[in-house]
Coordinates of all heavy atoms in Angstrom, one line a residue:
F528 N 25.1 -12.6 -2.6 CA 24.6 -11.7 -3.6 C 23.1 -11.4 -3.3 O 22.3 -12.3 -3.0 CB 24.7 -12.2 -5.0 CG 25.0 -11.2 -6.0 CD1 26.3 -10.6 -6.1 CD2 24.1 -10.8 -6.9 CE1 26.6 -9.7 -7.1 CE2 24.3 -9.9 -7.9 CZ 25.6 -9.3 -8.0
Y529 N 22.7 -10.1 -3.5 CA 21.3 -9.8 -3.1 C 20.3 -10.2 -4.2 O 19.1 -10.1 -4.0 CB 21.2 -8.2 -3.0 CG 21.3 -7.5 -4.3 CD1 20.2 -7.0 -4.9 CD2 22.5 -7.2 -4.9 CE1 20.3 -6.3 -6.1 CE2 22.6 -6.5 -6.1 CZ 21.5 -6.1 -6.7 OH 21.6 -5.4 -7.9
K530 N 20.8 -10.8 -5.3 CA 19.9 -11.3 -6.3 C 20.7 -12.5 -7.0 O 21.8 -12.8 -6.6 CB 19.6 -10.3 -7.4 CG 20.8 -9.8 -8.2 CD 20.3 -8.8 -9.2 CE 21.5 -8.3 -10.1 NZ 22.1 -9.4 -10.9
E531 N 20.0 -13.1 -8.0 CA 20.8 -14.1 -8.7 C 21.8 -13.5 -9.7 O 21.5 -12.5 -10.4 CB 19.8 -15.0 -9.5 CG 18.9 -15.9 -8.7 CD 18.2 -16.9 -9.5 OE1 18.8 -17.6 -10.4 OE2 17.0 -17.1 -9.3
N557 N 22.5 -16.6 -3.3 CA 21.6 -15.5 -3.5 C 20.7 -15.4 -2.2 O 20.2 -16.4 -1.8 CB 20.7 -15.9 -4.7 CG 19.4 -15.0 -4.8 OD1 18.4 -15.5 -5.1 ND2 19.6 -13.7 -4.6
I558 N 20.7 -14.2 -1.6 CA 20.1 -14.0 -0.3 C 18.9 -13.0 -0.5 O 19.2 -11.9 -0.8 CB 21.1 -13.5 0.7 CG1 22.2 -14.6 0.9 CG2 20.4 -13.3 2.1 CD1 23.3 -14.2 1.9
N559 N 17.7 -13.4 -0.2 CA 16.5 -12.6 -0.3 C 15.8 -12.5 1.0 O 15.6 -13.6 1.7 CB 15.6 -13.1 -1.4 CG 16.1 -12.7 -2.8 OD1 16.6 -11.6 -3.0 ND2 15.9 -13.6 -3.7
K560 N 15.3 -11.3 1.4 CA 14.4 -11.2 2.5 C 13.0 -11.7 2.1 O 12.6 -11.4 1.0 CB 14.3 -9.8 3.0 CG 15.6 -9.1 3.3 CD 15.5 -7.7 3.6 CE 16.8 -7.0 3.7 NZ 16.7 -5.5 3.8
T561 N 12.3 -12.5 3.0 CA 11.0 -13.0 2.6 C 9.9 -12.2 3.4 O 9.2 -12.7 4.2 CB 10.9 -14.5 2.9 OG1 11.2 -14.6 4.3 CG2 11.8 -15.3 2.1
D565 N 5.8 -14.5 -0.6 CA 6.6 -15.6 -0.7 C 6.3 -16.7 0.3 O 5.4 -16.5 1.1 CB 8.1 -15.2 -0.5 CG 9.0 -16.0 -1.4 OD1 8.7 -17.1 -1.8 OD2 10.1 -15.4 -1.8
P615 N 12.0 -15.5 7.9 CA 13.2 -16.1 7.4 C 13.8 -15.4 6.2 O 13.1 -14.6 5.6 CB 12.7 -17.5 7.0 CG 11.3 -17.3 6.6 CD 10.8 -16.3 7.6
I616 N 15.0 -15.7 5.9 CA 15.6 -15.3 4.6 C 15.6 -16.5 3.7 O 15.7 -17.6 4.1 CB 17.0 -14.7 4.8 CG1 18.0 -15.6 5.5 CG2 17.0 -13.3 5.5 CD1 19.4 -15.1 5.6
K617 N 15.6 -16.2 2.4 CA 15.6 -17.2 1.4 C 16.9 -17.3 0.7 O 17.5 -16.3 0.3 CB 14.5 -16.9 0.4 CG 14.2 -18.0 -0.6 CD 13.0 -17.6 -1.5 CE 12.7 -18.6 -2.5 NZ 11.6 -18.2 -3.4
L618 N 17.5 -18.5 0.6 CA 18.8 -18.7 0.1 C 18.7 -19.7 -1.1 O 18.0 -20.6 -1.1 CB 19.7 -19.4 1.1 CG 19.8 -18.8 2.5 CD1 20.7 -19.6 3.4 CD2 20.3 -17.3 2.4

Side-chain angles (χ1 to χ4, degrees):
F528 214 75
Y529 73 100
K530 65 177 183 66
E531 289 192 45
N557 167 223
I558 300 176
N559 281 320
K560 305 171 189 175
T561 56
D565 219 331
I616 56 175
K617 187 177 181 180
L618 311 177

